Amino acid sequence: MTIDPHTCRWHRNEYGQDFHLPSELLHDDESAADAVTRLFGIIRGCNHDGYLLEHHSIDVGDLCNRFARHLGFTEVEVETVATAGLLHDVGKIFTNLDVLTGTGKFTDEMATEMKRHPSDGAALIVHPELADVSELVLRHHEWPSGAGYPNAIPGHEIPPLARVISVVDWYAACRERRTYRPELSHERAMELTYLAAREGKIDLLLTELLERMLARESWRPSSSEPERVVHAAS
């Protein structure tokens, strides 16, 4: 399947619209590696009015790789979380564009729509060898406080690697240049990440460990390149 690099066509037009997984997005005869490549190709095609899903996905995949290695996870776990980081927001190819490209305060309807993307993304990742990746995509917005989404599971049930993605996702989203604001400094992004941790949205210990890692190695988001503008809501 060829994806037009400047458009995709699966975004919901109405809030509350039922989810139907298009058969054209499912392939039974591909390897796990080919499935990842195809899904990232779909992510790259999600480009609407300054909204570029690609760069946030690259950032989270890259930081997940680095952070998981720093934490001492096995090579298999590192590969799993890096792949899940790359694909964590693939479900946003279905999200209503008013939600993705808006810059104002979310209405209740918009918030509910945004909260669908983890389950939408997990539904896309069907290759049996990617079951662990699909689980992490599903759980990457569950909160230690138990008030996360899509299922508000208790904090102790959140997979450790999903907690890694959550912290990285939050920090990367704070750092990245957006259509409505410039790139934030590392210091300001860490302040906002700690605030989220104190509110029970992400893991506090992992936030501290990410700060320690980043104190020793520099990292810049892909949106820092002058010609790139990214607006990928967390």
Side-chain angles (χ1 to χ4, degrees):
M1 178 176 62
T2 300
I3 302 295
D4 184 325
H6 301 295
T7 188
C8 57
R9 56 187 180 278
W10 301 286
H11 294 284
R12 284 184 285 268
N13 296 318
E14 299 176 3
Y15 298 141
Q17 187 175 342
D18 289 342
F19 177 67
H20 297 288
L21 185 60
S23 59
E24 66 203 86
L25 296 181
L26 298 176
H27 290 234
D28 296 327
D29 57 349
E30 62 185 354
S31 67
D34 286 345
V36 172
T37 299
R38 179 175 59 83
L39 291 170
F40 184 64
I42 294 170
I43 288 171
R44 293 188 68 186
C46 190
N47 177 0
H48 301 272
D49 299 327
Y51 174 90
L52 299 177
L53 184 57
E54 172 186 4
H55 304 312
H56 178 65
S57 300
I58 290 172
D59 288 345
V60 174
D62 175 43
L63 264 183
C64 280
N65 187 324
R66 298 186 190 200
F67 193 31
R69 290 184 187 281
H70 174 77
L71 293 172
F73 283 98
T74 68
E75 283 298 317
V76 171
E77 290 169 327
V78 169
E79 182 177 357
T80 298
V81 76
T83 302
L86 184 70
L87 301 180
H88 76 289
D89 274 350
V90 67
K92 288 181 179 177
I93 69 167
F94 302 114
T95 303
N96 186 292
L97 278 174
D98 288 344
V99 174
L100 294 183
T101 61
T103 59
K105 183 177 176 60
F106 275 9
T107 65
D108 289 344
E109 281 187 322
M110 295 171 77
T112 298
E113 174 72 7
M114 176 59 77
K115 290 177 180 179
R116 298 175 68 174
H117 79 268
S119 54
D120 289 351
L124 273 174
I125 305 172
V126 297
H127 195 286
E129 294 179 24
L130 297 174
D132 290 344
V133 171
S134 181
E135 174 74 4
L136 296 181
V137 169
L138 178 65
R139 301 302 185 198
H140 79 275
H141 277 302
E142 297 290 356
W143 295 358
S145 68
Y149 60 90
N151 301 123
I153 64 174
H156 67 272
E157 294 183 9
I158 303 172
L161 290 176
R163 290 173 176 258
V164 168
I165 297 173
S166 298
V167 171
V168 166
D169 182 28
W170 201 281
Y171 172 79
C174 291
R175 280 296 310 272
E176 291 160 353
R177 181 183 179 193
R178 299 297 175 92
T179 54
Y180 54 88
R181 63 158 171 78
E183 174 186 337
L184 299 183
S185 68
H186 163 69
E187 291 75 18
R188 179 56 178 155
M190 282 306 317
E191 288 178 4
L192 294 172
T193 305
Y194 271 112
L195 177 60
R198 289 192 293 271
E199 292 175 345
K201 297 175 181 178
I202 57 176
D203 188 286
L204 178 57
L205 176 58
L206 287 177
T207 299
E208 294 170 351
L209 294 173
L210 179 65
E211 182 180 34
R212 292 180 195 175
M213 184 192 81
L214 293 173
R216 294 199 294 268
E217 58 178 273
S218 60
W219 182 84
R220 291 288 301 278
S222 60
S223 61
S224 65
E225 297 183 23
E227 72 276 12
R228 292 182 174 179
V229 177
V230 62
H231 179 172
S234 175

